[in-house]
Amino acid sequence: NAKNEDELAVGAKICKELNKMKVSAILDDRRNERFGFKISDFELIGFSFAIIVGKKLENDIVEIVNRDTLEKFEVEIKDAVGKILELMD
């Protein structure tokens, strides 16, 4: 939810960390689009993984979704980049 400043800040931080690791990543910070529409775009663009920053942020948890298998992983924010790198191997 790009309207939620905390969620947006965490998403931006993770995206920046991934880019520093030479991992192609974008932040969908569109404020007027709904979650389902954003997920549809994620699938059309063809990224292998989505990191969803949402309701579990209060527990320092984000969700990683593998586009190919639809497998979902809940990880602590601090472990999100490492998990993506692990899944890419």
Side-chain angles (χ1 to χ4, degrees):
N1 180 4
K3 293 178 185 176
N4 180 311
E5 293 300 323
D6 292 335
E7 291 177 13
L8 185 59
V10 168
K13 180 179 181 247
I14 293 171
C15 186
K16 186 176 180 178
E17 288 177 27
L18 286 166
N19 288 326
K20 281 183 184 178
M21 301 294 294
K22 306 292 187 220
V23 175
S24 180
I26 60 170
L27 175 66
D28 191 339
D29 60 355
R30 295 176 291 174
R31 294 179 182 263
N32 295 326
E33 297 299 342
R34 304 195 86 165
F35 177 74
F37 189 82
K38 290 180 180 186
I39 290 296
S40 293
D41 282 353
F42 148 73
E43 292 173 354
L44 287 172
I45 292 170
F47 278 101
S48 298
F49 304 98
I51 299 175
I52 300 169
V53 182
K55 297 175 183 176
K56 296 184 181 182
L57 181 61
E58 63 190 30
N59 297 321
D60 292 329
I61 300 290
V62 295
E63 184 177 72
I64 298 174
V65 179
N66 181 322
R67 183 173 60 93
D68 293 331
T69 66
L70 299 179
E71 190 174 8
K72 297 178 182 180
F73 306 90
E74 289 186 357
V75 298
E76 291 186 26
I77 294 166
K78 66 179 179 62
D79 299 326
V81 171
K83 185 65 174 179
I84 290 291
L85 294 174
E86 173 189 319
L87 291 168
M88 290 176 63
D89 282 340

